[in-house]
Amino acid sequence: HHLLLGYKRWLESKKEWEKSGKKALMFVMCENTEAADQIARELNTNPLYEELNRSTINLHTNLKGKIKTQGRGANKAQVFIESEKDISDDDLKALRELSRQLDEDTSPYQCIVSVLMLREGWDVRNVTTIVPLRPLTSKSNILPEQTLGRGLRRMTLPGQANEIVSVVEHPAFISLYREQLSQEGLFPEEAEAEDIKPTTITIYPDELNKNLEELDLLVPKLSPEYRIVPVLEGLTLDDVKDVFKSFSKLPLGQAKQEEIDYEGRHLITNEVIERMKVRLPLLDNGFTAVTFYREELETACGIKGTHPVLAPLIQKFLEEILFVEPVTLFDPRLCSRLADSDVREHIRAVFIPLIRSKITKQETRLKAGEPLSVCSWKPFQVTHSEKHPAEPAAKTPFNLVPCNRELEVAVAHFSDNAPDVAAFCKNAGPQCLRIDYLAGGGRLAFYTPDFIIRKTDGHYLLVETKGREDKDVAAKAKAAVQWCKSASTRKVKWDYLYVPQGVFSDMRGNTVDELCRTCTPALNNLQSERDTGQLVLPFEAVEEAEPPAGLDEFIKSSKLKQLSKATAERVLQSVQLFRHYENKTDLVFAPVFTALQGPIDTCAEDIVFNLLVDDIPKSEAAQKDYFQPYMNLPKRRVDFLRKHGMLIQKLLVYNAGIMPITILRFCLEYAESSDDDLAGVFRSIRKKFGFLTETDLLTRIREVYDFRNTYVAHQNKDLKDAEQTRKALKQWISLICELEEISSDLLSQLNK
């Protein structure tokens, strides 16, 4: 059963990744080699696992067999053939090499079955599904970290896509993962295998549905502006003294000897298995400290061989500059301070910018090749979620526009509707345009603008949307402006468009030229800012949604706090998106309601389930009669009721509800009517939903349902009226609050 669940889950991940050219792998962890041999044969031969037949490899240290070459030309590949003969050293070496190539397209394998490979440091990037197979009496509690480690190497660059590794595990062992991983700040999500939804989507040039020739965008290929010269020259003690002027001298310490009490504990039983005292020899005296800090500075700046230049300067810095009085490297007071964090941070703050300024050379950007067509970009995977939606657009050559939060969604729809925009795309994926610049502290970094726009006059815009400013935003803007100047020619001009959230929300026009004029002051102010020079860590900042302006118009803060976290976030997204849209002309407001459809359906599904779950018969035969009772009614009425009976059965029994809001609406309408007196689920509906017919809930659901079908789901009409949208948004949010309150009350009653 676990194998089949894992296989089906792997098939779903295979579909999710294959369009972007990534091969999803399944990994089966076995208790012993005998089990591994049997399971590998099963997966290779049983038609039930058709996609894995002849593409499963058994990898463990007790294997017997040899490596053979099969196929010709492009299909030529090395495969391992099991036999009763002992494996030779050459075949074992080839087998290990084969295991390192499992990610590659040339490898014929899509599934790995193994035992001891877990304990031998085996890793590949493309594992998406893990099936640990062990009996409930197993005494070998292989650590969750070891199991998950097989799948935690990324297929995509950090930040590009939210990848999921699914572990199909018996409930008896789930607590192992929860307990062990939560200690490390990782909280695995538990779900039915069939309920795991894709978190990524493939973005690709859509040649089947788009005219790529008309929608193409050509990005100039330019040389970098900054070049790292891996030789440190010209750094003097006067340079060091000059930088240190902005710091205060540090106090010296008292002579002492540092030791660490070390305890080694078993990872599972937590029992102490060894004890020792460890001294810190590297920072034990001044000379080893100089070596330590020199190596740390080299690592931070990406340079080697600096000892002749850096070592004397670090020594002079420690002896003559850093402390309140001169000392020598042998002074016990200095030695007692060498491992302290304030000493370390002062050395880094003084030397890292200096070193970077000496090894970083600025050059003129030059043409480095012919412009690159975005239609030549290879398919790539991106996150697809409520916070990172992939939006359809007519003027992009790609199938979708991946967006990050509401401002990008709004700008994407604005660009798609702007009459002076010929084509645009999100600048994302491995082949996107990245501009080199100097970040805080002189660190060489790369900046990825959000969008590329080609206007109807043939000129281009490089677009950055900014909801919250970071410390390097001014440096990024200056680099982008310089890039645009270098990219411009007599025929094609490039400009940088910096779009602050507040400016975009207040703008009333519908052309990108007007947007450029409106945003010009913000860009000029940004370029005039002085660089702070502050050192920053090159990690992504955690984004937090800020409450949109005028939130109280739609929902009181007290009411917002009562909603679940997921629902509250989606309400904030919708209100924020409306604020971006409300002053624009000729924009369709339908995307404002996209984030709210999920909460409405979820609440509707919960209400129907919680009210009817106790009445569902246990046996399959009884369920058939329950959901499809005898009906002595006109055929049209019978067809209508049977259709809804099947929809309710799918929701309650198979957890596969289709349009739950439709089902809830039907239940309320049926409970309110006095037509026909049927048994089964219809009698349950009339009995359980009666109390809700005493409210105006049905009327409000009908209003939202009709609006959704007209303007959001099917878009039979364009929603361009801001006041109509404002009124509808209030209705939707109010309905969500009521539905979630009803759902919560019903759940509490069930728990009692």
Side-chain angles (χ1 to χ4, degrees), residues 2-35:
H2 279 182
L3 272 182
L4 190 57
L5 280 176
Y7 173 67
K8 290 180 177 179
R9 176 89 284 278
W10 169 77
L11 285 176
E12 293 301 317
S13 65
K14 181 173 179 285
K15 292 177 187 176
E16 184 179 346
W17 288 95
E18 61 188 355
K19 284 186 179 179
S20 60
K22 301 290 185 181
K23 182 172 73 171
L25 291 172
M26 176 174 163
F27 173 59
V28 182
M29 182 186 77
C30 299
E31 179 76 359
N32 52 56
T33 56
E34 182 181 357

Side-chain angles (χ1 to χ4, degrees), residues 53-71:
N53 289 174
R54 298 177 299 281
S55 61
T56 297
I57 185 170
N58 188 6
L59 293 176
H60 60 72
T61 52
N62 292 339
L63 278 177
K64 296 180 179 180
K66 62 189 305 181
I67 295 289
K68 288 186 178 180
T69 301
Q70 292 185 348

Side-chain angles (χ1 to χ4, degrees), residues 382-557:
V382 298
T383 296
H384 180 49
S385 64
E386 292 288 345
K387 293 182 181 178
H388 303 273
E391 296 288 311
K395 291 183 180 179
T396 181
F398 295 91
N399 59 323
L400 295 166
V401 182
C403 298
N404 182 10
R405 292 197 178 275
E406 301 79 24
L407 182 57
E408 286 193 10
V409 173
V411 170
H413 285 283
F414 176 87
S415 303
D416 203 36
N417 288 276
D420 54 348
V421 170
F424 79 101
C425 74
K426 179 66 186 295
N427 183 40
Q431 295 178 270
C432 68
L433 170 63
R434 301 171 74 229
I435 300 173
D436 59 315
Y437 75 102
L438 291 185
R443 174 174 56 87
L444 181 61
F446 291 89
Y447 161 49
T448 304
D450 292 327
F451 295 96
I452 301 170
I453 292 178
R454 175 167 56 85
K455 301 192 294 181
T456 52
D457 60 8
H459 299 313
Y460 282 79
L461 293 172
L462 207 57
V463 183
E464 172 69 18
T465 61
K466 187 57 64 177
R468 302 179 65 180
E469 294 189 4
D470 56 62
K471 293 182 177 66
D472 287 332
V473 67
K476 293 176 182 177
K478 293 173 185 176
V481 168
Q482 291 301 317
W483 186 94
C484 287
K485 289 180 180 179
S486 300
S488 297
T489 64
R490 292 181 180 178
K491 293 183 178 181
V492 180
K493 183 182 178 184
W494 281 79
D495 285 307
Y496 182 61
L497 173 57
Y498 175 74
V499 186
Q501 179 171 298
V503 176
F504 180 78
S505 297
D506 293 339
M507 195 200 80
R508 297 181 178 277
N510 68 338
T511 66
V512 75
D513 279 340
E514 185 173 350
L515 180 61
C516 289
R517 293 193 298 271
T518 305
C519 294
T520 296
L523 178 59
N524 290 340
N525 291 337
L526 193 62
Q527 288 183 276
S528 65
E529 289 183 10
R530 294 184 60 186
D531 293 331
T532 63
Q534 181 178 352
L535 281 174
V536 294
L537 292 173
F539 299 133
E540 288 190 13
V542 178
E543 294 187 66
E544 295 181 2
E546 293 183 348
L551 179 64
D552 284 352
E553 179 184 355
F554 298 93
I555 183 172
K556 299 297 181 184
S557 57

Side-chain angles (χ1 to χ4, degrees), residues 561-580:
K561 292 178 181 178
Q562 294 175 9
L563 296 176
S564 65
K565 182 180 179 182
T567 301
E569 286 182 352
R570 295 178 187 183
V571 168
L572 290 174
Q573 289 174 36
S574 293
V575 175
Q576 184 69 76
L577 201 54
F578 174 73
R579 292 303 184 202
H580 291 324

Side-chain angles (χ1 to χ4, degrees), residues 12-175:
E12 293 301 317
S13 65
K14 181 173 179 285
K15 292 177 187 176
E16 184 179 346
W17 288 95
E18 61 188 355
K19 284 186 179 179
S20 60
K22 301 290 185 181
K23 182 172 73 171
L25 291 172
M26 176 174 163
F27 173 59
V28 182
M29 182 186 77
C30 299
E31 179 76 359
N32 52 56
T33 56
E34 182 181 357
D37 295 340
Q38 292 182 23
I39 289 168
R41 284 195 294 272
E42 177 78 0
L43 296 177
N44 269 319
T45 58
N46 191 333
L48 191 62
Y49 310 101
E50 181 180 2
E51 294 284 334
L52 296 180
N53 289 174
R54 298 177 299 281
S55 61
T56 297
I57 185 170
N58 188 6
L59 293 176
H60 60 72
T61 52
N62 292 339
L63 278 177
K64 296 180 179 180
K66 62 189 305 181
I67 295 289
K68 288 186 178 180
T69 301
Q70 292 185 348
R72 295 181 179 180
N75 296 322
K76 183 179 179 181
Q78 284 192 319
V79 298
F80 181 75
I81 307 298
E82 292 185 57
S83 69
E84 291 303 316
K85 297 180 180 179
D86 291 336
I87 188 169
S88 67
D89 291 341
D90 289 340
D91 282 334
L92 184 58
K93 182 179 178 180
L95 180 61
R96 287 174 176 163
E97 180 63 27
L98 185 151
S99 70
R100 288 191 286 268
Q101 300 171 352
L102 290 168
D103 285 330
E104 300 175 9
D105 293 336
T106 54
S107 171
Y109 298 110
Q110 300 184 92
C111 178
I112 307 100
V113 180
S114 182
V115 183
L116 297 180
M117 294 299 289
L118 272 173
R119 301 181 177 89
E120 294 173 1
W122 170 81
D123 277 300
V124 290
R125 290 189 303 275
N126 292 23
V127 171
T128 62
T129 309
I130 300 174
V131 185
L133 294 177
R134 48 191 168 182
L136 291 178
T137 57
S138 173
K139 296 180 181 179
S140 176
N141 287 335
I142 306 269
L143 286 180
E145 291 94 328
Q146 288 179 292
T147 304
L148 291 180
R150 304 314 105 195
L152 290 185
R153 290 183 62 189
R154 297 182 58 87
M155 284 190 266
T156 60
L157 296 173
Q160 178 180 321
N162 182 25
E163 301 180 24
I164 276 187
V165 177
S166 302
V167 183
V168 181
E169 181 63 285
H170 191 283
F173 292 100
I174 288 179
S175 59

